[in-house]
Amino acid sequence: MKMNKLTVIIPNYNGLKFMDMCMSALREQSFSDYSLLIVDNGSTDGSVEYIKELSMKGLMSASEPDIKIPVDYILLKNNTGFSGAVNAGISACDSEYIILLNNDTKPYKDYIKELVDFMDSHKSEKCFAASPKMSQLYHPELLDDAGDGYNLLGWGFQRGVGQNVNTQKFCKEKRIFSACAGASIYNREMLEKIKFNTSLNFELLEAYKDSEHTISCFEYFDDQHFAYLEDIDVSYRANRAGFSIYYCPTSEILHVGSGTSGSKYNDFKVKLAARNNIFLIWKNMPFLQLILNLPFIAVGTFIKYLFFIKNGFKKAYADGFKEGLANIRNCKKKPAKLSELPKLIYIEYLLIRDSFDYASDFLMRKLHKD
């Protein structure tokens, strides 16, 4: 693959119905110094044939007709989840920056340019990632995500979801807890510094053996997560490393949401999110921080349990919670060092700040509905 400043990686699992929309928007980008890598997770809906044909033709840039965006692909034998797919993609490229892009998105013309310019201008701040302004495809006047937060209750959340895109607080750059991996840009060198130095499990190794080549893969996103909260997990590790993560409101994109899972809540999604939150907390919080936050996490868990009882997902949530507890011994827990204390204090500040931000967003959504 040609060395570009940026590689856009699209994980795909039976997402053929979204491909034309996403590819058309990428053709219109004002920034063209990038290559496209699509990682297919064993799709059976015709995606593989579509991807191969696209790779042969390349992606013609509408802004610069003489430029053809190179398109490469990786075909996995079965579904490795979001984490497995993006790990394969990141391992296969060596560009300065990486954008992880969901297939159910429609980027605005300057989406890529604004993210790249933002990263270039924030190098002195050790910027690990930047998250764009994501709006709802079918209701573009409403926000879908203005970067991700994580609060004392142990809840990951989409900042600004459901609020007007022109709300003043979401038109300003801000340092955030986590970038949304559905459309964010990452610094490749910093990803290398926080990746796991562990062996991949047998199922992933088998999936990475496709008919055309065997993939040498590293673990940047935790493969134990499979999907959901893996972006908050990698951001937690980045925060502990002293890197910064920002919300970049000048980069804009439309998002269908739950394009692969099919709905906001379902048994599969609820179970994995409950399980992965146990992993997230156990891996990333040192013992003293965990003890400090445990009362809030307990309250948050109880509230979520009541919520899912009300919405018919009691068993899925309980099963995921129990599975998480049963498997924490297999988590890749990062030991704490005394030198990390200032960073851990800052993370605690972010957890507290995001608790107030979540409450504010919740009240605004309630007022909007009323």
Side-chain angles (χ1 to χ4, degrees), residues 148-315:
D148 289 344
Y150 195 65
N151 63 31
L152 288 172
L153 299 174
W155 297 353
F157 63 96
Q158 301 157 259
R159 295 179 63 249
V161 62
Q163 296 189 48
N164 189 280
V165 293
N166 295 317
T167 302
Q168 188 176 8
K169 67 181 285 190
F170 299 115
C171 294
K172 297 177 181 178
E173 169 189 320
K174 184 174 182 177
R175 185 164 176 179
I176 55 177
F177 192 94
S178 174
C180 172
S184 291
I185 188 169
Y186 295 83
N187 182 302
R188 172 58 191 271
E189 183 180 351
M190 293 181 186
L191 275 168
E192 289 293 328
K193 291 181 179 179
I194 65 167
K195 71 183 180 184
F196 294 114
N197 295 313
T198 57
S199 300
L200 296 167
N201 64 50
F202 176 77
E203 289 79 10
L204 280 178
L205 289 173
E206 285 298 299
Y208 291 149
K209 295 177 183 177
D210 64 47
S211 58
E212 299 182 21
H213 56 278
T214 300
I215 302 160
S216 297
C217 188
F218 298 97
E219 196 175 359
Y220 303 94
F221 287 73
D222 190 349
D223 69 73
Q224 191 178 19
H225 276 236
F226 188 82
Y228 307 118
L229 299 179
E230 71 291 312
D231 45 5
I232 295 182
D233 172 65
V234 78
S235 293
Y236 209 128
R237 281 184 273 136
N239 282 310
R240 284 190 62 174
F243 302 145
S244 58
I245 302 165
Y246 280 91
Y247 165 58
C248 174
T250 55
S251 174
E252 298 185 72
I253 187 169
L254 297 167
H255 183 218
V256 174
S258 301
T260 297
S261 63
S263 60
K264 184 176 181 180
Y265 297 117
N266 56 58
D267 286 339
F268 175 78
K269 190 172 182 178
V270 169
K271 180 179 178 180
L272 255 64
R275 182 197 71 177
N276 291 350
N277 200 40
I278 298 293
F279 295 161
L280 171 64
I281 293 167
W282 177 254
K283 283 186 301 177
N284 293 295
M285 284 191 186
F287 183 71
L288 289 178
Q289 189 180 31
L290 179 59
I291 294 299
L292 175 66
N293 294 324
L294 196 56
F296 302 103
I297 294 169
V299 170
T301 301
F302 182 66
I303 294 172
K304 282 257 180 164
Y305 185 56
L306 293 179
F307 174 83
F308 286 120
I309 288 175
K310 179 182 177 181
N311 288 276
F313 296 102
K314 173 184 176 181
K315 185 177 186 303

Side-chain angles (χ1 to χ4, degrees), residues 44-91:
T44 58
D45 67 340
S47 289
V48 172
E49 292 74 19
Y50 179 95
I51 292 166
K52 286 183 175 181
E53 183 178 355
L54 182 65
S55 179
M56 289 177 62
K57 294 179 178 178
L59 201 64
M60 301 304 299
S61 171
S63 61
E64 299 181 65
D66 295 333
I67 293 180
K68 181 188 290 186
I69 307 300
V71 180
D72 204 349
Y73 60 84
I74 296 171
L75 305 179
L76 303 180
K77 292 175 68 175
N78 49 55
N79 189 2
T80 64
F82 181 88
S83 295
V86 298
N87 282 339
I90 297 169
S91 299

Side-chain angles (χ1 to χ4, degrees), residues 293-356:
N293 294 324
L294 196 56
F296 302 103
I297 294 169
V299 170
T301 301
F302 182 66
I303 294 172
K304 282 257 180 164
Y305 185 56
L306 293 179
F307 174 83
F308 286 120
I309 288 175
K310 179 182 177 181
N311 288 276
F313 296 102
K314 173 184 176 181
K315 185 177 186 303
Y317 184 79
D319 287 348
F321 187 82
K322 287 185 286 187
E323 186 176 320
L325 290 177
N327 288 280
I328 57 173
R329 63 184 181 278
N330 299 320
C331 289
K332 308 167 187 75
K333 188 170 178 64
K334 178 178 170 60
K337 299 177 181 178
L338 187 60
S339 59
E340 281 188 286
L341 186 58
K343 300 165 191 173
L344 292 171
I345 292 173
Y346 184 74
I347 289 173
E348 192 66 20
Y349 156 74
L350 290 178
L351 294 174
I352 295 169
R353 184 200 69 180
D354 282 2
S355 298
F356 287 99

